Amino acid sequence: MRFKKIYIEISNMCNLQCPFCIQNQRPPHSLSLAQFAHVIREIKPYTQYVYLHVMGEPLLHPLLPAFLEECRKEGIKVNITTNGTLLKKRWKELCHLPIRQMNISLHSFEAHHQESYIKDIVSCVEEMKDTYVSYRLWTVQKGTWNEDNKRMIEDLSFAYHIPIPREHWVPSRSITLKERVFLHFEEPFVWPSLQHAFVTAEGSCRGFIDMCAVLCDGSVTPCCLDSRGDLTLGNIFETPFSAILKQENAQRFLADMRQHRLSAELCQKCRYRLRFDRRI
């Protein structure tokens, strides 16, 4: 089994409380360097790419440079998803380390309103010569935009000397600002939860087909949005990753997903996957 990507939650703690986020509901925890190195060694035979994200803000972790160095040593390519608020503060530590892609969630702005937010981010992005950058503005909602969103788009347009026509502010639209730098529009999404209403028991997802996640307590889950670990298949600190993949519960989940059966309750109540599964 090979995965296109594996998410590693290096910490479930964040410096913001964004309204769109489900918020961490587990005990706060961050990976140690030894734990992170263990996870990388375990998953290395199964993927070439890791995403340092599930819950939490990765730039808040003081050991992030050491984690990136560990990935470089093991030949693992790293993608980071961040709210960007700490990017300028941490940039001198990170600029010499390999980051394949950085996703910057601009829709976090409502939770912090930093005056020089876009300016500081753009100044760091300008120094990222070999890194793909995706500015994410996932706030497209029935064609309406608040003033903060409009101002950010105008600031990006000015910074990159490129017009961003209003007709392009639509879901699933990506605009190239410069080589390797993009602005991606999308609708807000709701994190899946067992508290939500039933959606369907039929359909598909990429969970365990081409990606999975390791939470900061070691829980292995097939879903990158499993904020509580409701789909946990095993713990990578207790059981080898190779053995977790072979366990009956993991193989049953994979078989059901391939047959377009959503056997897990969390999957049956998830609407995020409807973005790429249009069966219903």
Side-chain angles (χ1 to χ4, degrees), residues 1-199:
M1 180 183 291
R2 289 280 296 181
F3 297 101
K4 288 184 179 179
K5 54 193 174 185
I6 294 180
Y7 291 78
I8 302 177
E9 181 187 70
I10 62 175
S11 175
N12 58 16
M13 294 182 283
C14 188
N15 61 327
L16 300 179
Q17 289 187 315
C18 298
F20 60 80
C21 181
I22 197 170
Q23 308 296 330
N24 179 47
Q25 299 169 52
R26 292 172 279 129
H29 182 70
S30 297
L31 291 180
S32 67
L33 180 56
Q35 288 175 324
F36 183 80
H38 174 80
V39 172
I40 291 298
R41 288 194 299 270
E42 287 290 307
I43 68 172
K44 182 179 177 179
Y46 300 94
T47 192
Q48 190 179 4
Y49 299 96
V50 296
Y51 281 64
L52 302 187
H53 185 60
V54 177
M55 298 298 294
E57 168 52 52
L59 269 64
L60 192 63
H61 202 305
L63 296 178
L64 180 58
F67 292 172
L68 294 174
E69 189 60 56
E70 186 68 25
C71 290
R72 172 158 62 183
K73 184 177 69 176
E74 296 295 338
I76 298 292
K77 297 179 180 179
V78 181
N79 303 284
I80 294 177
T81 298
T82 173
N83 58 44
T85 57
L86 301 174
L87 188 56
K88 185 176 181 180
K89 180 179 179 180
R90 301 295 306 273
W91 184 239
K92 288 185 179 179
E93 301 174 79
L94 304 175
C95 62
H96 66 287
L97 293 165
I99 301 173
R100 176 191 172 271
Q101 179 166 321
M102 182 169 288
N103 304 312
I104 304 174
S105 300
L106 301 180
H107 41 276
S108 67
F109 189 72
E110 185 178 347
H112 59 88
H113 282 76
Q114 289 185 355
E115 186 64 32
S116 60
Y117 179 59
I118 292 294
K119 182 180 178 181
D120 289 345
I121 288 176
V122 169
S123 67
C124 294
V125 168
E126 285 299 292
E127 298 183 41
M128 298 181 191
K129 304 305 180 185
D130 299 313
T131 300
Y132 290 94
V133 176
S134 176
Y135 292 112
R136 291 177 171 179
L137 197 53
W138 291 5
T139 52
V140 182
Q141 204 160 23
K142 297 180 180 179
T144 60
W145 293 85
N146 63 37
E147 292 305 311
D148 288 334
N149 293 155
K150 293 177 183 177
R151 192 177 304 112
M152 278 193 287
I153 296 172
E154 291 171 358
D155 288 347
L156 287 171
S157 178
F158 178 80
Y160 289 99
H161 311 290
I162 184 172
I164 306 176
R166 184 63 180 266
E167 58 266 26
H168 292 175
W169 304 4
V170 294
S172 302
R173 184 67 181 258
S174 185
I175 296 173
T176 301
L177 301 178
K178 61 176 291 187
E179 185 178 6
R180 297 175 182 261
V181 179
F182 309 91
L183 171 60
H184 183 241
F185 296 104
E186 190 52 90
E187 297 176 335
F189 73 89
V190 177
W191 286 73
S193 169
L194 295 176
Q195 308 307 313
H196 294 165
F198 175 83
V199 179

